Amino acid sequence: MEFLQQLVNGVSLGSIYALIALGYTMVYGIVKLINFAHGDIFMVGAFIGFYSITILDLGFFPSLLISMAICAILGVLIERIAYKPLRNATRIAALITAIGVSLLIEYGMIYVRGAQPEAYPGDLIPATSLDFFGVKVSSQSVLILGTSVVLMILLQFIVHKTKIGKAMRAVSHDMDAARLMGINVNNTISATFAIGSALAGAAGVAFGMYYTKIEPLMGIIPGLKAFVAAVLGGIGIIPGAMVGGLLLGVIESLVSAAGFSLWRDGVAFVVLILILIFRPAGLFGKNVREKV
């Protein structure tokens, strides 16, 4: 029973990691850039959700949608201002820029509102828990998992069934050939950043509701863990990011349940080292050509 309970907790947490990991994976699949500012977009999303709930007095879903919309715009702005001029530069230049953007967002947020933490209101949704065969599942966990699953299904629909999704897959496969076929590569890359950032914003609101406490440096560890989740599933492969996030959440919950809660942050990086040694392409990474 205890194992099942931890499995449920792990899947709730893992679905948040999966949402963040999808942004890393989509951007890497198209422009081969690890966007280290992604964790900070997640943090901004958590704060937008918090202010929408407390100041605008909105419910969970309107706050989620506002957070996703603003984060999508922020993601496009970051891409256009910071990454687009470096598209043909060396990988290391883009990576350093990503770290710089990350620090700018973190300390910009501290400058604007101070470093003090905030707490999401506890009465956002009714605090009921459902009992499945002795396993208690809180209404929060159900809502977070349900929201994450809907967003992941929506993402799969966008990538595989819409015009912009086809353009993303084409640019991911071969950017120059896509350009020759008349695809607007710049708009496609911006759309990828917008979708990835919107998912990170949604994850921020879900994280705030799950853990209640949010602060300006909260994006660092979940951002790094989501990166590990993306590598675990196979970076650049969308289903891999989903599975990697869920797996990482379950591993963390089981480690905490076994009495090693101080190791819960460290275990993600142990997983990263093991994956890089034994399966560098990730769980889903074979010689896959279609990356996104």
Side-chain angles (χ1 to χ4, degrees), residues 47 50-51 113-120 212-216:
F47 273 101
F50 171 77
Y51 290 125
R113 61 160 299 283
Q116 74 278 12
E118 299 282 7
Y120 263 64
T212 67
K213 183 185 157 215
I214 59 168
E215 43 99 17

Side-chain angles (χ1 to χ4, degrees), residues 142-238:
V142 172
L143 188 61
I144 288 169
L145 187 59
T147 306
S148 303
V149 168
V150 167
L151 289 172
M152 288 177 203
I153 291 168
L154 190 62
L155 176 67
Q156 286 291 51
F157 175 79
I158 290 169
V159 168
H160 291 286
K161 296 281 187 272
T162 64
K163 199 172 169 186
I164 191 70
K166 284 179 181 147
M168 281 178 188
R169 298 208 313 274
V171 173
S172 165
H173 201 69
D174 188 328
M175 195 181 284
D176 295 326
R179 198 178 272 117
L180 291 171
M181 296 304 289
I183 290 170
N184 187 325
V185 170
N186 286 337
N187 284 0
T188 305
I189 291 171
S190 290
T192 307
F193 270 85
I195 294 167
S197 300
L199 292 174
V205 178
F207 188 91
M209 198 176 77
Y210 194 70
Y211 281 112
T212 67
K213 183 185 157 215
I214 59 168
E215 43 99 17
L217 301 181
M218 67 180 269
I220 300 171
I221 293 293
L224 286 173
K225 285 182 184 171
F227 170 62
V228 172
V231 173
L232 174 61
I235 192 135
I237 302 163
I238 284 177

